[in-house]
């Protein structure tokens, strides 16, 4: 079982990524890391959030755009080749590296 010290250390590492990251957003990031290939709808269901929130979280985690949209560069949402309206979410290499670091890897 995780100790309170380990839990706080994990939260500190997540706060280092974005000091203002809400708990629900951090939870969503960890769900994406655990279950890469989730759709936006599956993320919303598993995180118990609305589709609009799930979309905002993925946008915040995504690669910054040329239009000036900010993003952390941790995830990418790609169109499902079999269902064009469905987006498949996975970690970028930067996201995988960050998650490994957060979980105690190098």
């Amino acid at each position: 079982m995780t100790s309170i010290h380990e839990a706080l250390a994990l939260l500190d590492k997540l706060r280092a990524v974005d000091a203002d990251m809400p708990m629900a957003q951090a939870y969503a990031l960890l769900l994406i890391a655990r279950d890469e290939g989730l759709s936006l709808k599956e993320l919303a269901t598993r995180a118990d959030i609305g589709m609009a929130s799930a979309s905002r979280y993925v946008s915040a985690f995504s690669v910054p755009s040329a239009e000036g949209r900010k993003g952390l560069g941790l995830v990418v949402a790609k169109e499902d080749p079999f269902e064009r309206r469905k987006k498949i979410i996975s970690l970028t290499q930067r996201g995988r590296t960050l998650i490994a670091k957060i979980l105690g890897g190098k």
Side-chain angles (χ1 to χ4, degrees), residues 39-77:
S39 70
L40 196 59
K41 184 176 181 177
E42 290 168 328
L43 175 62
T45 299
R46 291 181 192 184
D48 195 24
I49 56 176
M51 285 290 290
S53 293
S55 182
R56 276 193 309 274
Y57 294 171
V58 169
S59 181
F61 297 142
S62 293
V63 176
S65 71
E67 297 84 35
R69 177 181 52 83
K70 295 180 181 178
L72 297 172
L74 304 175
V75 304
V76 63

Side-chain angles (χ1 to χ4, degrees), residues 1-22:
M1 181 166 219
T2 304
S3 74
I4 193 74
H5 298 291
E6 291 169 322
L8 286 170
L10 175 64
L11 290 175
D12 283 341
K13 290 175 184 176
L14 284 167
R15 288 181 58 206
V17 174
D18 179 355
D20 297 323
M21 184 183 295

